[in-house]
Amino acid sequence: MSKRYLILEDGTVFEGKSFGANRSTTGEVVFTTGMTGYQEAITDQSYANQILVFTNPLIGNYGVTLDDYESLQPHIKGVICREVANHPCNWRMQDTLPHFLEQNDIPGLKGIDTRELVRQLRVHGTLRGQLTDKAEDVEAIVAELKKVNPTANIIQEVSTKTPFPNPGTKRNIVVIDFGLKNSILRELAKRDCNVIVLPYDTPASQVLNLKPDGVLLSNGPGDPKEMSVAFPMVREVEKHLPLFGICMGHQVFALANGADTYQMKFGHRGFNHPVRELATGIIAFTSQNHGYAVDPQSVEKTPLMVTRVEINDNTVEGLQHRQYPAFSVQFHPDAAPGPHDAVSIFDDFMSMVDQRRKEAHDAEEN
């Protein structure tokens, strides 16, 4: 192990020890409050081009296993933690975290005071940073960091380039890939859905030609306003089919229907976020990973209504179309990692799909 430094765009420097890949990297520095699930977070494409800080003081203690991958090719730029387990142990373990990061060319930094770093991010907001083994010219690095936008157009990199299936035998569901998590596919597979995953820029005509029973808009990284190519597709598809958006899909759904989004100060990342359903008052603890949110005031002049809010800061966590069977949530009901309080939302989507199929069948018979 050698010295490694985190240099932030405000000029702050943290010195620690290196692990993982032996190279420099640049990205947005964000933090997650999850106590476990480090592998799912690292392989989550919503962290693409970001350097992830773990607030839990120890990670890597149960190793890495293929079953928990959220994507096979993670696009995270770096990992920062207080300590990495020296002797991980778990009956499912297939690799250690440091070796996994090395194999995937992801540098890591350990041995710093992550509490101090997180406090700085909470005060100043998300900052760009660089992990490097050399800190001789901090001013030059800071100047360069201020010029770059690490997450610009990132969905184009992480979305699938060609359609692919996740076979089932019951409902036909199209998933639009903005940075899809495998856990979403797992939840659809549990419900025996026959899934076709399509690129983020697929037009409505191609979606409808597949004759799906419903459409799901996936999670993904970056600024949702960069996904304007998908807005016409959403506006057309929601007229014909049940539609369900998750995270980035929620934001794209909002923008397509005339609402607005904004960048949060430091975002929601972790799985201890309480969300209230307005119609019932029921509170669910949810898994979240996003740096943008829907502007609640902008929803008022749209055909949408707010259905859920985050209790801590009142951010919009759910939307419903007033005319069509289309809805969305900002959090991850697939919960990988995280609590399963909200997993039944997938069943709500299935109910919408089944109702639409019944109506279509009845119309054909009449």
Side-chain angles (χ1 to χ4, degrees):
M1 290 184 295
S2 59
K3 288 184 179 180
R4 180 165 287 169
Y5 305 90
L6 169 65
I7 301 174
L8 298 174
E9 64 177 295
D10 65 357
T12 305
V13 179
F14 290 86
E15 178 183 325
K17 299 290 185 180
S18 65
F19 72 105
N22 186 25
R23 69 176 182 89
S24 297
T25 190
T26 298
E28 279 189 343
V29 182
V30 300
F31 65 91
T32 176
T33 58
M35 296 291 288
T36 185
Y38 53 82
Q39 181 184 337
E40 290 92 337
I42 291 169
T43 57
D44 183 350
Q45 299 289 30
S46 293
Y47 284 114
N49 283 13
Q50 295 180 328
I51 298 172
L52 180 58
V53 183
F54 287 91
T55 59
N56 193 52
L58 174 69
I59 66 171
N61 54 308
Y62 52 86
V64 171
T65 178
L66 180 63
D67 290 346
D68 293 336
Y69 283 23
E70 289 301 321
S71 67
L72 289 177
Q73 295 181 314
H75 283 71
I76 194 171
K77 285 294 187 179
V79 172
I80 298 176
C81 60
R82 175 61 184 170
E83 184 180 354
V84 179
N86 293 324
H87 303 287
C89 182
N90 185 275
W91 67 273
R92 300 170 67 242
M93 189 179 84
Q94 297 169 320
D95 201 355
T96 66
L97 178 60
H99 186 256
F100 169 80
L101 295 179
E102 184 179 351
Q103 291 293 102
N104 285 276
D105 199 30
I106 302 170
L109 170 68
K110 65 178 182 178
I112 71 165
D113 188 343
T114 50
R115 296 169 301 176
E116 180 184 353
L117 174 56
V118 169
R119 280 198 299 268
Q120 188 159 346
L121 295 175
R122 287 180 63 87
V123 171
H124 299 289
T126 299
L127 296 170
R128 288 162 284 194
Q130 182 176 118
L131 290 178
T132 179
D133 295 343
K134 299 179 181 179
E136 286 85 0
D137 197 349
V138 173
E139 290 184 2
I141 292 174
V142 168
E144 190 63 29
L145 286 172
K146 292 180 178 179
K147 296 178 183 178
V148 299
N149 180 5
T151 60
N153 302 313
I154 187 59
I155 288 179
Q156 298 177 22
E157 295 183 30
V158 302
S159 177
T160 184
K161 303 299 186 292
T162 57
F164 67 90
N166 193 46
T169 60
K170 203 169 185 181
R171 308 168 183 93
N172 295 313
I173 304 296
V174 161
V175 174
I176 305 299
D177 180 10
F178 297 119
L180 175 66
K181 292 178 67 178
N182 288 343
S183 52
I184 292 176
L185 296 181
R186 293 187 191 107
E187 290 300 330
L188 293 175
K190 288 177 184 177
R191 291 155 180 84
D192 207 17
C193 293
N194 184 50
V195 175
I196 298 177
V197 180
L198 299 179
Y200 73 95
D201 56 354
T202 303
S205 58
Q206 186 174 339
V207 174
L208 296 173
N209 283 343
L210 292 171
K211 302 295 190 291
D213 298 315
V215 174
L216 190 150
L217 309 176
S218 86
N219 63 293
D223 186 345
K225 291 180 179 178
E226 293 181 353
M227 286 296 99
S228 58
V229 67
F231 299 168
M233 179 273 294
V234 172
R235 286 193 290 267
E236 182 63 23
V237 166
E238 67 187 12
K239 298 175 185 176
H240 305 279
L241 298 168
L243 183 143
F244 173 30
I246 296 175
C247 198
M248 173 61 70
H250 161 81
Q251 296 163 7
V252 169
F253 174 61
L255 289 165
N257 282 284
D260 196 13
T261 58
Y262 63 95
Q263 186 170 15
M264 304 172 74
K265 187 174 182 179
F266 48 81
H268 292 165
R269 296 176 179 91
F271 43 87
N272 54 355
H273 293 272
V275 170
R276 177 184 288 113
E277 185 177 22
L278 298 181
T280 64
I282 293 174
I283 296 172
F285 280 89
T286 65
S287 174
Q288 302 199 15
N289 178 8
H290 60 100
Y292 291 81
V294 174
D295 180 354
Q297 293 184 341
S298 72
V299 176
E300 297 174 3
K301 298 180 181 180
T302 74
L304 306 177
M305 62 179 180
V306 176
T307 58
R308 292 174 170 87
V309 296
E310 215 269 11
I311 291 176
N312 292 321
D313 58 11
N314 289 317
T315 51
V316 176
E317 293 288 338
L319 294 169
Q320 172 76 50
H321 201 288
R322 296 179 184 273
Q323 183 178 356
Y324 306 124
F327 72 108
S328 64
V329 293
Q330 180 63 79
F331 51 88
H332 290 265
D334 47 292
H340 295 94
D341 293 16
V343 72
S344 62
I345 290 175
F346 283 96
D347 297 318
D348 296 339
F349 180 46
M350 295 298 104
S351 295
M352 280 187 175
V353 167
D354 293 343
Q355 178 63 28
R356 186 261 179 188
R357 292 174 67 181
K358 182 179 183 300
E359 291 172 355
H361 180 266
D362 293 345
E364 287 180 2
E365 287 193 339
N366 296 329

